[in-house]
Amino acid sequence: MDTEHGILFSDEYQKSLKEQFYYADEDPVHGPRLFFENSGGSLRLKKAVEAKCAVEQFPDCPERVRGRGLELQAYVKNGTKEILEVVFGASGGALLTELSASQSMYQAVGAIMENVKWGTNAVTSSLEHPSAHDAVEYYCGKTGREFRVVPANKTTGGIDPDEVMKYVDKDTCLLSIMAASNISGNIMDIKEIARRAKEVNPDIYIVSDAVQHAPHAVIDVEDWDVDVANFAPYKFFGIRGCGYAYVSDRVARMPHHKLIHKDADVWSLGTPAPADFAAMMAVIDYVCAIGEQFSDASDRRSLYIEGMNRIHLQERALLFRMLEGTSEVPGLRHIDRVEVYVDMEDLTCKDLIIAMGIKGIEYSECVQRYLDHGVTVFERLSSSMYSKRIVEALGIEGAIRVSPLHCNSTEDIDRFLSITKEIAESVSR
Ligand SMILES: Cc1ncc(COP(=O)(O)O)c(C=O)c1O
């Protein structure tokens, strides 16, 4: 099957998926809109919000051994198992739960860099979100190691394995490279990066921020051969207020913040939140249900992989349409004044995140114009500490980030393109 330009869900199936999300086509107060800002927080799956709400209604302590408390505990137990096995693809290791993905990143990087006694440097990339970049910088400062930053490929918007290898040596204790960029949408070749880094230093710890990749494609910590990966449910059809990270067996057993008498590899500290796990299990159910449409597999991981791969193909098809357009409406690549930053022909290296600009309109002004047309997008500017290093690394001054979701229709994309054309034409008038 030719998947170069993706494969669309049938219209009927796409509609049935969109119906499972809250406010996909309108805001209850602001009215109809195209929500193309899923990278800042994705559309919420109704079942995830309902599960959170339903479970949250019970006061019982989830650490009890009987009655409702025991039932609540099951969400934590099953949720932990499913997040590790089904989402991360891990057969071992431990789950680190925090209030945000950033916190989970700091905890994991801190544990590694404070416990590992060898190694004089640690490496990350210029494209990382501040939570991953700064965690490495902070712990380099704290542990007296040299902090090294791999520059981005300004043409592709990615991080080249060859470039990474210029910074990694036998004294590198930790290498942190994101799975996909939250600004350019580039998917990094983590597997190849990890493989090559381990050729130089077999003991190196590899960390991958998978926050922006998780809602678009499969995470496989064992195939990637990484020690740490994390994601945020609120960017993954779920809820705000929690962040999860996988840590490998060798990291799980390192001394870390935990109650002294708990097992060495326990990373939960304090009473867990069953409702958060219930919400995440609803997200996993949703992805597996997509998998069931296309596969006869019966185990959850296989169904999840199939579901995620189908989501990925639908998104690639939407991305291709966004860039190339149709005979009715030109794509972003063909609209005068529109620039797609770090654009590349090969869409197999991209998640559904586009960085663009319209010549002659300042980014914030442009985002406002989109909003006036009922489209929510977001500007990444060098004046923001969240974006400055990243947009500079890509050689641009800023970008409008456009991030639809797999449940969007081709009509949604075409509407966005018509509005873009209208905004671009208004500049020359
Ligand atoms: C790539 C990436 N990593 C990490 C984070 C941080 O997630 P959180 O806000 O849950 O800490 C974000 C948030 O935008 C992100 O895009």
Side-chain angles (χ1 to χ4, degrees):
M1 207 187 315
D2 183 9
T3 59
E4 199 189 330
H5 296 146
I7 304 174
L8 284 170
F9 292 139
S10 71
D11 289 352
E12 201 189 345
Y13 191 53
Q14 170 271 321
K15 274 196 194 80
S16 75
L17 294 179
K18 202 193 236 186
E19 276 164 10
Q20 296 182 55
F21 290 87
Y22 281 115
Y23 309 131
D25 290 317
E26 96 247 302
D27 177 285
V29 173
H30 301 283
R33 68 165 175 175
L34 277 180
F35 185 74
F36 279 11
E37 225 264 278
N38 288 276
S39 291
S42 81
L43 287 170
R44 300 281 187 269
L45 200 56
K46 291 177 185 169
K47 285 211 168 126
V49 177
E50 284 161 11
K52 164 93 179 161
C53 183
V55 173
E56 206 61 78
Q57 290 171 26
F58 297 100
D60 306 65
C61 174
E63 310 244 290
R64 298 296 178 255
V65 294
R66 59 185 74 82
R68 178 67 68 180
L70 183 62
E71 283 165 32
L72 292 180
Q73 196 182 109
Y75 289 109
V76 180
K77 217 169 135 203
N78 298 339
T80 302
K81 186 172 150 55
E82 290 233 319
I83 293 170
L84 277 174
E85 293 178 6
V86 181
V87 178
F88 285 116
S91 54
L95 188 72
L96 210 153
T97 62
E98 290 288 344
L99 293 173
S100 69
S102 304
Q103 289 179 351
S104 71
M105 180 57 81
Y106 265 74
Q107 290 292 351
V109 168
I112 295 169
M113 292 194 52
E114 293 200 313
N115 283 300
V116 173
K117 298 300 170 218
W118 54 265
T120 53
N121 71 76
V123 178
T124 188
S125 88
S126 59
L127 283 191
E128 305 300 312
H129 183 271
S131 56
H133 176 279
D134 296 2
V136 179
E137 184 168 5
Y138 175 78
Y139 282 104
C140 274
K142 212 165 172 212
T143 61
R145 290 180 168 103
E146 184 193 346
F147 175 60
R148 298 180 178 173
V149 183
V150 183
N153 179 326
K154 287 193 166 83
T155 309
T156 64
I159 300 292
D160 296 337
D162 280 347
E163 196 62 27
V164 175
M165 295 320 296
K166 294 181 191 159
Y167 292 78
V168 170
D169 59 32
K170 59 180 180 22
D171 294 316
T172 305
C173 94
L174 177 141
L175 168 65
S176 177
I177 302 288
M178 70 201 318
S181 164
N182 53 324
I183 294 190
S184 67
N186 279 63
I187 302 169
M188 313 309 164
D189 192 349
I190 295 298
K191 185 173 174 172
E192 177 65 2
I193 290 171
R195 186 189 70 74
R196 293 199 38 200
K198 285 180 184 188
E199 272 178 4
V200 175
N201 174 3
D203 295 326
I204 193 170
Y205 288 83
I206 314 257
V207 175
S208 189
D209 171 347
V211 171
Q212 288 291 350
H213 198 45
H216 304 291
V218 174
I219 300 175
D220 196 327
V221 292
E222 291 186 356
D223 185 48
W224 294 354
D225 201 9
V226 297
D227 284 284
V228 177
N230 66 344
F231 74 88
Y234 78 91
K235 294 206 201 274
F236 190 5
F237 327 150
I239 52 160
R240 285 194 192 267
C242 47
Y244 297 114
Y246 154 83
V247 288
S248 64
D249 279 326
R250 64 176 181 158
V251 175
R253 286 190 299 270
M254 287 177 173
H256 57 274
H257 288 173
K258 73 170 192 67
L259 299 183
I260 304 290
H261 297 293
K262 294 239 179 186
D263 288 344
D265 62 352
V266 169
W267 281 72
S268 66
L269 182 58
T271 314
D276 291 357
F277 285 99
M280 196 55 218
M281 281 198 285
V283 172
I284 299 171
D285 285 346
Y286 170 81
V287 178
C288 289
I290 297 177
E292 272 168 11
Q293 294 289 317
F294 300 95
S295 156
D296 294 331
S298 53
D299 72 289
R300 298 275 282 169
R301 173 69 179 165
S302 302
L303 287 173
Y304 180 88
I305 290 176
E306 182 68 32
M308 260 306 160
N309 286 341
R310 293 290 167 168
I311 283 176
H312 196 70
L313 289 173
Q314 157 82 359
E315 292 196 337
R316 188 182 299 155
L318 295 179
L319 177 59
F320 182 68
R321 192 173 180 112
M322 183 91 108
L323 294 168
E324 282 301 327
T326 65
S327 52
E328 308 290 311
V329 57
L332 295 178
R333 285 174 176 160
H334 307 293
I335 302 175
D336 267 356
R337 292 185 169 272
V338 170
E339 289 178 299
V340 179
Y341 302 132
V342 289
D343 189 13
M344 59 203 287
E345 279 304 312
D346 181 5
L347 299 185
T348 62
C349 306
K350 290 267 186 184
D351 280 332
L352 183 52
I353 301 173
I354 294 175
M356 60 167 281
I358 300 182
K359 276 188 239 157
I361 317 183
E362 192 267 320
Y363 297 113
S364 303
E365 161 69 15
C366 196
V367 169
Q368 182 58 48
R369 291 218 204 159
Y370 272 115
L371 195 60
D372 296 342
H373 283 83
V375 181
T376 303
V377 288
F378 183 55
E379 69 271 42
R380 308 298 328 216
L381 304 174
S382 54
S383 55
S384 154
M385 54 117 329
Y386 281 103
S387 322
K388 182 176 171 26
R389 169 180 33 78
I390 308 171
V391 291
E392 283 172 1
L394 293 174
I396 52 181
E397 280 175 19
I400 296 163
R401 180 176 65 186
V402 185
S403 51
L405 209 61
H406 66 276
C407 63
N408 281 117
S409 63
T410 48
E411 289 80 37
D412 293 337
I413 302 297
D414 295 353
R415 208 164 105 226
F416 176 80
L417 291 174
S418 303
I419 291 169
T420 302
K421 189 163 173 277
E422 203 180 316
I423 296 175
E425 281 171 357
S426 73
V427 183
S428 21
R429 267 184 228 139

